[in-house]
Amino acid sequence: MTIATEEPGSMKPVLITGASSGIGAACCEWLLARGYQVFAGMRSPNEDARLKQQYGERYQLLALDVTDAESIESAMNIVQSRTDGKLSALINNAGVAYSGALETLPMHQVRSLFDVNVLGTFAMTQACIPLLRASRGRVVMMGSISGILAAPGLSAYSSSKFALEGLSDSLRNELKPFGIRVTILEPGKIETPIWSKALQQLTTKEEEMSSDGHSLYQPLDDFYRHYAANEKATPMSELLAVLQKALEAQHPKARYTVGRAARIRSLLMHLPTALRDRLLQRAVPVTSDD
Ligand SMILES: NC(=O)c1ccc[n+]([C@@H]2O[C@H](COP(=O)([O-])OP(=O)(O)OC[C@H]3O[C@@H](n4cnc5c(N)ncnc54)[C@H](OP(=O)(O)O)[C@@H]3O)[C@@H](O)[C@H]2O)c1
């Protein structure tokens, strides 16, 4: 990997969405420590006093709901007014994760997931392109291993992350003439609050669904409960190392799969579909007959 020789960060402005928790909060702190000016987008801005004290004006909170056009417009006005109209990078991180058999997923959950994960990413990218063009900046998408390999019970989440793969592939070539690089990160499991939120969503879904649906797919829900609580996670440091490549390598890759488990899972895509399906069926029980 070749890293650009200039001072890392050097006050370059970066906007990250979903900076209130998990990966977004960790990236925000890493970016500040590395010398970037960070616009930390949050639905409910909650200033971290420690970061403010340590980094002062380089840490800028931004009220930002990626599903709300007015919120995006006011956030972009603030970014415009506090930069010289240039943005070095947009990190599209905001996201939600819901699991459950499609038959049992309330449509309002599916819609809100697509609103955040897909349409929110489209809207933020659209709003930032002029500022990114002005500095030949970078777009980083927070994809997922579920955007490469679609397991049963993840139809909504996986298809939203597959959509980000398509978006990244298309944009990479669309924005190349302007010198804007587009990279998608594909992490496996990382320990963040997304997992407790996913458990909460499973409970809400079960309360809303019929008892038929509940008994038919209970093993699938139990599998994801167990996965959320017990599956070994990739350390956040691996994701941050890859973020550095996406932001600072002279020639960043189109995609980076993050973590050993995710890299092993991505290999399954090279198998014939019938064999891959058999392995997935064996690994993920759907009904009690499995
Ligand atoms: N953790 C993993 O294992 C993993 C693996 C692969 C990919 N990812 C992806 O990584 C990204 C971050 O996830 P995480 O694990 O850090 O989860 P997290 O801790 O739950 O953080 C998600 C962030 O997205 C924000 N968000 C949700 N809806 C939003 C909206 N409408 N507008 C703006 N922000 C919104 C949340 O804000 P609130 O605090 O206001 O809800 C929160 O800041 C997601 O895109 C996720 O799909 C995570």
Side-chain angles (χ1 to χ4, degrees):
M1 175 189 56
T2 324
I3 299 279
T5 47
E6 68 185 90
E7 192 70 6
S10 51
M11 291 289 288
K12 289 181 186 165
V14 173
L15 194 169
I16 179 163
T17 64
S20 66
S21 83
I23 293 174
C27 291
C28 177
E29 184 156 5
W30 179 86
L31 288 162
L32 288 165
R34 195 126 178 105
Y36 290 93
Q37 176 189 10
V38 181
F39 290 95
M42 298 183 197
R43 271 200 295 202
S44 317
N46 183 10
E47 191 160 85
D48 183 325
R50 183 178 55 85
L51 292 183
K52 194 70 198 169
Q53 193 184 16
Q54 200 168 348
Y55 298 108
E57 287 305 297
R58 275 207 291 117
Y59 171 55
Q60 312 244 341
L61 277 200
L62 211 51
L64 178 56
D65 179 337
V66 300
T67 66
D68 178 340
E70 279 179 22
S71 168
I72 294 177
E73 195 182 337
S74 1
M76 293 314 297
N77 286 338
I78 294 173
V79 175
Q80 279 276 7
S81 70
R82 300 202 186 152
T83 61
D84 52 358
K86 294 181 180 174
L87 202 52
S88 284
L90 163 68
I91 304 175
N92 280 309
N93 165 73
V96 293
Y98 299 153
S99 68
L102 178 61
E103 191 181 347
T104 67
L105 272 183
M107 275 312 291
H108 68 85
Q109 287 189 358
V110 179
R111 286 203 179 86
S112 71
L113 183 145
F114 268 78
D115 250 3
V116 180
N117 293 9
V118 182
L119 300 179
T121 302
F122 268 78
M124 279 310 300
T125 309
Q126 194 174 58
C128 289
I129 285 174
L131 285 81
L132 292 164
R133 187 166 38 232
S135 69
R136 302 173 72 81
R138 299 189 177 195
V139 180
V140 179
M141 308 284 186
M142 202 55 72
S144 166
I145 183 60
S146 296
I148 305 174
L149 180 71
L154 290 182
S155 56
Y157 183 69
S158 256
S159 52
S160 77
K161 294 297 184 180
F162 269 69
L164 294 192
E165 294 283 338
L167 171 62
S168 302
D169 277 348
S170 175
L171 267 189
R172 199 172 55 254
N173 292 313
E174 190 172 304
L175 297 180
K176 187 146 195 285
F178 307 110
I180 302 174
R181 313 289 191 124
V182 180
T183 292
I184 184 162
L185 312 189
E186 298 158 337
K189 185 182 181 188
I190 296 187
E191 208 52 68
T192 71
I194 207 168
W195 296 100
S196 53
K197 294 175 195 171
L199 287 174
Q200 179 57 48
Q201 168 268 338
L202 265 178
T203 306
T204 313
K205 170 183 82 73
E206 283 173 356
E207 283 163 5
E208 285 186 37
M209 76 192 190
S210 69
S211 57
D212 275 2
H214 185 56
S215 54
L216 254 183
Y217 293 108
Q218 182 146 19
L220 191 58
D221 289 351
D222 290 346
F223 173 85
Y224 282 109
R225 276 207 174 80
H226 187 268
Y227 185 95
N230 300 303
E231 176 75 6
K232 190 167 178 283
T234 296
M236 188 71 81
S237 54
E238 288 195 35
L239 183 126
L240 297 175
V242 160
L243 177 66
Q244 182 186 342
K245 293 181 190 177
L247 293 178
E248 297 174 7
Q250 221 158 30
H251 302 291
K253 289 189 192 166
R255 43 182 47 80
Y256 292 96
T257 305
V258 185
R260 187 164 175 273
R263 283 193 293 276
I264 291 171
R265 270 173 222 166
S266 71
L267 294 178
L268 291 179
M269 289 314 287
H270 300 293
L271 297 177
T273 307
L275 175 56
R276 185 170 71 238
D277 283 356
R278 274 206 298 283
L279 293 172
L280 278 170
Q281 283 156 17
R282 206 172 298 162
V284 186
V286 175
T287 74
S288 43
D289 300 332
D290 282 353

